[in-house]
Amino acid sequence: MTAKARDAILRRLRNKQPGFDTPSQPVAIETPSWPMEARIAQFKSMLETVRAEVHVTAAAHWTETLKSVAEEKQISNLLYAKQGPLAQAIERAWGDTLLPKLVCEERPVDEWKEQIFFHIDAAVTSARAAIAETGSLILWPDAFEPRTWSLVPPVHFVVVDAEKLYNTFAEAVEAEQWAQQMPTNALLISGPSKSADIQQTLAYGVHGPTELIVILKTSS
Amino acid sequence: MQQRADFNHRVEQALGNAQLKASLRSAMDGLMASRKACFPDADALDALRLRGAQIRANALSKLPQLLQQLEQRCTENGIRVHWAESVDEANGIVLDIMRQHQAELLIKGKSMVSEEMDLNRFLESHGIECLESDLGEYILQLAGEPPSHIVAPAIHKTRQDIARLFKEKFPDIPYSDDVDTLTGNARGILRKKFYAARVGLSGVNFAVAESGTLCLVENEGNGRMCTTVPPVHIAVTGIEKVVEKLAHVPPLLKLLTRSATGQPITTYFNMISSPRKTGEKDGPKEVHLLLLDNGRSRIYEDSELVNTLRCIRCGACMNHCPIYTRIGGHAYGTTIPGPIGSILEPQKAGLDSLGELPVASTLCGACAEVCPVRIPIPRLLNRLRYERIRSDRDGASHGQGSGRTVKEAAIWQAWSWLHRSPRRYRLAMALATRLCKILPLGLGPWTRVRKPPRIAARTLHQRAREEGFNDR
Amino acid sequence: MPEQKRYPAKPKRVYFFATCLVDLLFPEAGLAGMQLIRREGVEVIFPQDQTCCGQPAWNSGYRDEAREVALQQLACFTEDHPIVVPSGSCAGMMRHHYPEMFAGSADQGRVEAFSSRVYELTEFLVHVLKIALQDLGEPVRVALHTSCSARREMGVAEEHEALLKQLSKVELMTQARKEECCGFGGTFAVKQPAISAEMVSDKANAIADTGADLLVSGDCGCLMNIGGHLDYRQASIDSRHIASFIWERTHATEG
């Protein structure tokens, strides 16, 4: 059925290609470009507008921020990736800290689905890069930091390097040549989950995390 | 004429509902203000809209090639691609997939194409439960209503309506009309469903041909849930949603979210290019892409009407439409309401069944002014009015000529006969100035809420001559 | 989207196109427009063979009938003078839709040349005649309703306001949602009377809320609609075409 439909649809489209005016040359769109300090300020302010927390921290001390915020929020367990890019620093920083308890899971999510759905308080993941204009984090989830980690637990900590802060989404797509190497899932996350479906009133934490806590690592 | 009676009946119902009027007005005012605040620089907005229009026009100009490229890339990436000419075929494909997996529950993200397919009713008639997971769509499913707006589906409901609905459907949960509590309750209920569902369904905002990528825009996370947690993901889309390059996505995304709700970006922008790869710990093992035609390829045939297909479904045209604001989405009786619905739906369903919609417009142009891809909506409304009454057989539109009546055609022929002859026209006008003293100007519906206009004692033609203005 | 417009230098002569509504219902508005132009030292020609721009038929889908009537207008504005129209709607029709109506036909070239000479009255007063107004009237509070075609097709909303702002004793009141359509829409008011009634009633409320004494508009369709509704309600707000209003306030009566 579908092959027949395919041929019929394509035939109709080819036979009756409408007489388009050739689309004119692409117009140049002015894109913002900020020096680093302003870029960070823009990034932070955009995220804070949608009730995300942003902590700008010296790269050497980011785990302290993670720890203190997690403690302050009385998070009882924190999921992290054992083989992910943040693991070493987290393990070193935690030492024998009891709370929040570090949890790592390397099994496919299906095998411990109940735990992540109903018993994990928070997860920490890295972000590949970020976007200043819209206050967005770019995540390419992988085998170490799966997709559900940034989605299912009520709190999501995300750690990103200020060096990777692009001005715009367009800049990131071009600079990293995304078209050549799209992953299974590329994500932009720009705040905690939200909805305004009930009488135009914003509510947070609909299906995804209620809290998004961003730790932006700077070199100074 | 039945369609006209139905439409007018729904319009009357809507206009008689004071609460609906108040909800719509405040919602539309809010959405218009948010959009405006998001585009502070008029020149930058013009440039961006032009870019958006070019990207969409470019994609349409290469549509058959891009669809094949999309199919090829998706297939290489492991996504299974299906084609459907009609809603029936599309529903059949979804049912087959459900049966292959012995799935009894389909959890759905927001998808207007699935509304177009009337998928829920179809699957339910085959014993499969469909569950809407977008908060607004979920509320409407509980209420047994279709969406009334493509972006904000439950915009016609107050929080008290919703609180009562929850109480009725879930008597065990204490009544609350607090938005956070209502949202929290929905989260709890739906979370268990995401956990259990074997198949998830989503729409597609943009399908990128060069990389075989499906892009989804959302705020709640339900779209990510549907496309991440169940082992099978089905994405349904119209064939027009394809764009050529990944680099075309950022400008369209910027236009879409800002035009729709005045957000610089939505919480999530989800780009899916393949099923779970070896070693990955989650994500669906099967991803299906269903490409639906359902009349789109016929719209494609006409070099003017094809511009209807540029639409990126932001809903800005309805937010800014004075008619939509008065009557709401349900009055249209179509999947897509508002100005874009009034050009799209009659072309799909036929002018014989929905020809009333293009007529129900003042052609004020507020829609075209805000359209992020510059669809000339009033011009296309005008074109469809012509298609609706034209008497020849040259047009492509389905139901062409169905609105033509002998009486109306005779009126316009007489009108032309009068106005194409200066002599007849002057005579008629001069006569009108005399007769107006005898005949009151009864204009039927016009005078229901208006005093009739007064015909002048002397026409401008006469006065211009008297005041010494030359004729040539 | 109004294109970037260029205006000619002040000409010796112009044509005036009355529009059929002005001709029969608001002739004083047409006369006022012609007098305003004449006062600036420009000769105004009023071809007696003009009738209607054809818009009612065009917007009803009766394209052949609209073309037949449009061609009649082309036949009586033959010289290369600007054509001034006291209506955003009819000017929009002649400037923007005529080229559409005749695209691909043998008449395309001459239609385009014709259309490029069409100006809405207020834009002509402001940009071509660079008119300077001296207000001789009593203080008055005025609400302006700019028609959708004046605003969006002709792009002359600012020109309407600029002229009223030149009048020193006129206080321009701004109503809520001033950009919103009044619900006239030609045959729409008769084909969808219920929606139209709702729209005009909302518009009249917004205008009444400003406390204005008078409603001014550059389009007779809107005046008939909103003004007719205000009269029906017996509201104490009068309505006037912008040309009549300006002429009355700037015209020194003899003696």
Side-chain angles (χ1 to χ4, degrees), chain A:
Chain A
M1 181 163 70
T2 172
K4 190 170 142 262
R6 175 188 186 277
D7 293 344
I9 294 167
L10 287 174
R11 195 181 327 112
R12 274 198 299 276
L13 294 178
R14 276 197 220 100
N15 285 352
K16 288 280 192 172
Q17 204 138 0
F20 272 95
D21 303 332
T22 321
S24 47
Q25 287 300 305
V27 281
I29 303 168
E30 260 181 65
T31 51
S33 177
W34 293 278
M36 184 51 94
E37 211 169 301
R39 210 183 305 166
I40 291 174
Q42 167 75 14
F43 175 71
K44 190 165 184 282
S45 117
M46 290 309 285
L47 273 165
E48 285 170 349
T49 308
V50 288
R51 239 181 60 175
E53 275 180 40
V54 182
H55 301 271
V56 182
T57 318
H61 305 295
W62 73 266
T63 48
E64 288 161 33
T65 307
L66 173 66
K67 236 170 121 174
S68 67
V69 176
E71 271 168 26
E72 189 190 309
K73 294 195 181 289
Q74 298 184 313
I75 282 162
S76 61
N77 54 39
L78 176 68
L79 185 62
Y80 81 107
K82 186 87 182 159
Q83 294 186 63
L86 309 174
Q88 274 193 337
I90 291 175
E91 283 166 4
R92 197 164 41 219
W94 246 253
D96 48 14
T97 310
L98 289 178
L99 279 176
K101 184 174 163 239
L102 286 182
V103 180
C104 60
E105 260 301 350
E106 293 180 89
R107 285 178 295 163
V109 170
D110 317 315
E111 294 172 27
W112 56 287
K113 199 168 168 185
E114 193 190 334
Q115 199 189 351
I116 192 170
F117 259 75
F118 303 106
H119 306 296
I120 296 285
D121 278 2
V124 55
T125 73
S126 63
R128 174 189 178 86
I131 300 161
E133 185 184 32
T134 50
S136 308
L137 296 147
I138 301 175
L139 272 72
W140 285 20
D142 57 18
F144 306 122
E145 294 181 336
R147 291 155 75 169
T148 27
W149 292 29
S150 62
L151 177 64
V152 176
V155 179
H156 178 208
F157 289 92
V158 56
V159 182
V160 65
D161 199 327
E163 297 295 310
K164 295 285 186 58
L165 184 53
Y166 291 101
N167 290 290
T168 63
F169 182 29
E171 188 186 39
V173 168
E174 197 189 319
E176 299 187 353
Q177 298 192 304
W178 283 26
Q180 315 316 314
Q181 47 156 356
M182 283 300 275
T184 303
N185 182 216
L187 270 175
L188 305 188
I189 298 181
S190 312
S193 153
K194 65 179 186 288
S195 175
D197 274 350
I198 301 178
Q199 216 178 301
Q200 300 286 291
T201 310
L202 261 183
Y204 288 90
V206 193
H207 297 295
T210 309
E211 291 185 71
L212 177 71
I213 298 152
V214 180
I215 299 175
L216 184 73
K217 299 188 291 179
T218 58
S219 53
S220 57

Side-chain angles (χ1 to χ4, degrees), chain B residues 36-54:
Chain B
K36 205 168 179 182
C38 239
F39 290 120
D41 179 339
D43 292 340
L45 172 60
D46 281 349
L48 190 60
R49 287 174 67 229
L50 188 57
R51 183 81 187 104
Q54 284 170 335

Side-chain angles (χ1 to χ4, degrees), chain B residues 185-430:
Chain B
N185 291 343
R187 177 185 171 108
I189 297 162
L190 286 165
R191 183 150 279 231
K192 294 190 190 100
K193 298 288 188 174
F194 286 124
Y195 176 76
R198 310 263 291 275
V199 184
L201 182 133
S202 75
V204 174
N205 291 97
F206 316 113
V208 185
E210 71 170 341
S211 57
T213 301
L214 313 176
C215 304
L216 277 118
V217 172
E218 59 140 349
N219 278 312
E220 295 182 5
N222 68 309
R224 285 188 64 200
M225 286 280 191
C226 292
T227 60
T228 305
V229 178
V232 180
H233 167 211
I234 306 171
V236 294
T237 184
I239 53 171
E240 81 281 18
K241 284 290 179 73
V242 65
V243 296
E244 184 178 10
K245 293 174 190 296
L246 211 54
H248 292 165
V249 169
L252 288 182
L253 175 64
K254 196 168 179 175
L255 282 164
L256 174 59
T257 65
R258 287 170 202 237
S259 300
T261 54
Q263 296 181 87
I265 193 164
T266 48
T267 299
Y268 301 112
F269 186 60
N270 186 2
M271 308 174 82
I272 297 163
S273 303
S274 81
R276 181 192 305 197
K277 291 192 186 103
T278 314
E280 289 176 350
K281 304 293 193 315
D282 62 4
K285 290 174 178 159
E286 250 181 68
V287 177
H288 298 265
L289 172 65
L290 171 49
L291 298 166
L292 175 65
D293 181 347
N294 191 29
R296 289 166 175 81
S297 59
R298 196 175 51 224
I299 299 174
Y300 189 75
E301 290 177 8
D302 186 279
S303 62
E304 185 176 36
L305 295 171
V306 65
N307 294 316
T308 313
L309 301 177
R310 276 192 217 159
C311 177
I312 57 171
R313 302 285 190 271
C314 70
C317 61
M318 47 203 88
N319 298 346
H320 290 75
C321 176
I323 316 259
Y324 178 90
T325 303
R326 299 300 182 305
I327 64 176
H330 287 161
Y332 290 80
T334 51
T335 305
I336 312 260
I340 183 67
S342 294
I343 54 172
L344 176 66
E345 300 283 7
Q347 292 185 72
K348 281 164 72 178
L351 287 159
D352 42 355
S353 65
L354 292 174
E356 206 48 46
L357 294 180
V359 181
S361 163
T362 64
L363 305 179
C364 79
C367 49
E369 190 176 47
V370 296
C371 176
V373 290
R374 295 169 52 124
I375 301 173
I377 298 176
R379 190 171 164 165
L380 300 183
L381 287 167
N382 182 297
R383 169 69 191 279
L384 291 175
R385 290 179 181 188
Y386 165 63
E387 294 295 328
R388 179 170 174 266
I389 61 89
R390 67 190 287 182
S391 54
D392 59 43
R393 288 278 161 262
D394 297 340
S397 300
H398 186 40
Q400 172 197 321
S402 59
R404 191 177 182 91
T405 62
V406 176
K407 185 181 153 201
E408 199 184 71
I411 290 173
W412 287 112
Q413 277 154 11
W415 174 89
S416 166
W417 178 80
L418 191 66
H419 288 84
R420 66 178 185 252
S421 152
R423 204 174 51 82
R424 288 194 289 265
Y425 171 82
R426 281 194 300 265
L427 212 63
M429 294 302 119

Side-chain angles (χ1 to χ4, degrees), chain C residues 182-204:
Chain C
C182 69
F184 173 60
T187 54
F188 173 82
V190 188
K191 292 202 168 180
Q192 287 297 336
I195 308 175
S196 179
E198 193 79 14
M199 289 167 74
V200 75
S201 149
D202 289 348
K203 180 60 76 184

Side-chain angles (χ1 to χ4, degrees), chain B residues 173-192:
Chain B
I173 303 176
Y175 176 91
S176 168
D177 61 15
D178 173 68
V179 173
D180 284 324
T181 309
L182 286 167
T183 305
N185 291 343
R187 177 185 171 108
I189 297 162
L190 286 165
R191 183 150 279 231
K192 294 190 190 100

